[in-house]
Amino acid sequence: MWILWAVTALWAASFSLIGEFLAGHVDGYIAVFIRMILALALFLPLWRPARLAFRQQWQLAVIGAIQIGVMYLFLYHAFLYLSVPEVLLFTIFTPLYVTLIDDVFFQRRHLPARWWLAAVVAVIGAAVIRFESLSDSFVIGFLLIQAANLCFAAGQVFYKRLELGNSRNQVHAFALFFIGATAASGIAMVLFADFSKLPTTQLEWGILLWLGLGASGLGYLAWNLGAKRVNVAQLATMNNMLIPAGLLINYAFWGQAVDWPRLVLGGAILISSVWLASKRPD
């Protein structure tokens, strides 16, 4: 679990950098493609194709394409229809999708009721923190965000269930994950990017360098390694811990206003969901 907590803190800080320095200045599709290229460059020297069978190699590449590439395609389109608070609100259903996908595709027996309850509690906790009034055109945006949630959830679950060997073996194979992600994000960039919004300043390039090598490269590797070491309910509930973590980072470094009663109550509910997911069966 400590790996998932560490990556949550890493990603929370990264979202703040995107919001403060890149959003509105650098096109989102271009930024994602640059991040994927940098992450791929980080792992290519470590790539040992002989460590995996061909079937596992293309499966890992497809997982990367879905979990990041296709997910971002839906996510950035959603911003055409939703405000930022609405986007954050509609991402709270990811724990349910993680639990559902694992139950449907991999469980001969249904998952324990406690795990489903933990996922529901995680959604409630996130809703307490992020619920806002909705715009009139939220339906299309809502569907786009749910498609993005499903892609991110499916990538996590299928990586967790894919036989890749020990952690060292996964490091040597992880370039394939970013080969798939780079291909998908590259296609999205060609189709949808505004090339008048390229990164131009040293600060923008420095942030993208950190996001590509740190948040994307090391972050996705660590998150997926952690996903293999926890149960499905723990993985599901940790998906929503990014919301309070991101708000705290925004408050600490950028002075963003925080609704403290809602944050404390929602955070307590989220922590209880993680505790419920971590309980051993009777």
Side-chain angles (χ1 to χ4, degrees):
M1 282 292 290
W2 71 268
I3 297 176
L4 300 185
W5 283 106
V7 177
T8 297
L10 173 69
W11 284 347
S14 299
F15 274 114
S16 294
L17 292 174
I18 295 170
E20 291 293 327
F21 299 108
L22 298 183
H25 304 285
V26 180
D27 181 83
Y29 296 105
I30 295 173
V32 170
F33 179 72
I34 292 172
R35 289 172 62 177
M36 297 306 102
I37 283 288
L38 289 169
L40 177 59
L42 179 66
F43 287 100
L44 272 178
L46 304 174
W47 187 21
R48 302 293 184 269
R51 289 180 176 267
L52 288 180
F54 177 74
R55 180 180 180 182
Q56 292 168 306
Q57 292 187 48
W58 71 259
Q59 286 175 328
L60 183 53
V62 169
I63 288 171
I66 292 172
Q67 186 174 345
I68 306 180
V70 181
M71 181 270 288
Y72 276 123
L73 180 62
F74 287 120
L75 179 65
Y76 280 107
H77 267 72
F79 279 99
L80 299 175
Y81 302 93
L82 301 174
S83 65
V84 173
E86 287 171 338
V87 170
L88 290 172
L89 171 63
F90 293 152
T91 61
I92 67 177
F93 298 104
T94 307
L96 292 177
Y97 296 142
V98 170
T99 311
L100 178 63
I101 291 169
D102 190 79
D103 197 19
V104 169
F105 285 94
F106 295 102
Q107 300 298 325
R108 295 181 180 178
R109 299 178 180 177
H110 290 302
L111 294 173
R114 181 188 294 117
W115 290 8
W116 279 103
L117 178 60
V120 172
V121 171
V123 171
I124 294 172
V128 168
I129 297 172
R130 287 308 315 169
F131 184 77
E132 304 283 350
S133 59
L134 302 176
S135 62
D136 294 333
S137 58
F138 77 91
V139 174
I140 296 176
F142 174 83
L143 294 176
L144 288 169
I145 288 295
Q146 300 323 300
N149 292 343
L150 281 167
C151 289
F152 190 60
Q156 295 176 74
V157 173
F158 281 96
Y159 187 95
K160 176 177 176 62
R161 299 300 183 181
L162 183 62
E163 292 294 334
L164 295 171
N166 59 27
S167 297
R168 182 177 180 181
N169 207 58
Q170 292 174 62
V171 171
H172 286 303
F174 208 67
L176 289 159
F177 180 89
F178 285 112
I179 287 174
T182 301
S185 60
I187 293 171
M189 180 183 68
V190 171
L191 293 176
F192 302 110
D194 179 359
F195 286 95
S196 67
K197 293 184 177 181
L198 291 168
T200 55
T201 68
Q202 290 184 347
L203 177 62
E204 289 169 351
W205 278 109
I207 292 171
L208 286 170
L209 186 67
W210 158 249
L211 292 174
L213 299 178
S216 293
L218 298 179
Y220 276 106
L221 172 65
W223 184 269
N224 285 331
L225 287 175
K228 284 187 170 292
R229 300 183 182 186
V230 298
N231 65 46
V232 171
Q234 290 172 311
L235 177 62
T237 54
M238 284 301 297
N239 271 265
N240 276 356
M241 288 305 301
L242 184 62
I243 294 173
L247 291 175
L248 288 172
I249 292 292
N250 275 339
Y251 172 77
F253 289 94
W254 314 114
Q256 297 282 345
V258 173
D259 188 335
W260 288 105
R262 290 176 61 178
L263 179 60
V264 172
L265 177 59
I269 295 173
L270 279 168
I271 291 173
S272 70
S273 74
V274 176
W275 171 81
L276 185 62
S278 303
K279 284 189 65 178
R280 294 184 179 275
D282 296 333

